[in-house]
Amino acid sequence: MINIVYKPIGVVHSPFTVAKGTPAQPVASQAAGTIELLPELVEGLIDLDGFSHIIVIYHLHLSAFTSLTVVPFLDTIPHGVFATRSPSRPNGIGFSVVELNRIEGNILYINDIDMLDGTPVLDIKPFVPVFDVRQANRTGWFTG
């Protein structure tokens, strides 16, 4: 396999500094925070302020991969890591859909934050319901 290297495009500023007590998903959060984008990338924010929500792709910098099976916080039974949203992942990549309040220069003000302070941001994309919302007819172990 080839080696893949990403350079962070920014950093999350969050009220959460440790995993314990951090919301497990954005829908469970009412916390506000910011994303500080590298100043040289500000031009890439043009027109992003027209979207109410954004997808943030980030590196789970404080999470260590430990096992291919995990017990998720909503269950007591082990499941394969790829069937969960556990932060303990082989590549430590996370994503969150958060509300975008406003943009001031290179700072994005967001709500519903579930990321730790200092989280490296890898990419930002607009959330577009017609593309991003799907009707799921199976939700695996979560149904039980």
Side-chain angles (χ1 to χ4, degrees):
M1 291 230 156
I2 62 170
N3 189 25
I4 301 171
V5 178
Y6 288 103
K7 176 185 171 192
I9 64 167
V11 65
V12 171
H13 298 289
S14 164
F16 306 111
T17 58
V18 294
K20 186 173 181 157
T22 300
Q25 296 293 317
V27 297
S29 177
Q30 296 180 350
T34 61
I35 296 172
E36 181 180 355
L37 194 70
L38 294 174
E40 61 267 28
L41 302 177
V42 168
E43 185 178 355
L45 296 174
I46 294 172
D47 298 325
L48 186 62
D49 60 354
F51 294 87
S52 66
H53 290 77
I54 57 174
I55 300 166
V56 182
I57 300 168
Y58 50 91
H59 176 65
L60 297 160
H61 68 298
L62 297 181
S63 181
F65 176 62
T66 56
S67 177
L68 287 172
T69 58
V70 297
V71 177
F73 76 98
L74 292 174
D75 204 356
T76 58
I77 300 169
H79 300 280
V81 70
F82 301 124
T84 74
R85 295 204 172 185
S86 168
S88 176
R89 313 196 70 77
N91 279 319
I93 297 171
F95 81 96
S96 296
V97 176
V98 297
E99 182 181 20
L100 177 62
N101 286 329
R102 69 186 185 282
I103 300 171
E104 293 179 5
N106 67 322
I107 307 296
L108 290 77
Y109 292 82
I110 59 175
N111 280 342
D112 309 327
I113 194 165
D114 67 338
M115 297 162 270
L116 293 174
D117 190 56
T119 296
V121 176
L122 302 176
D123 203 358
I124 298 167
K125 298 175 182 287
F127 178 84
V128 181
V130 71
F131 300 146
D132 298 323
V133 176
R134 297 291 188 92
Q135 181 63 42
N137 56 13
R138 294 187 326 266
T139 55
W141 64 267
F142 193 78
T143 303

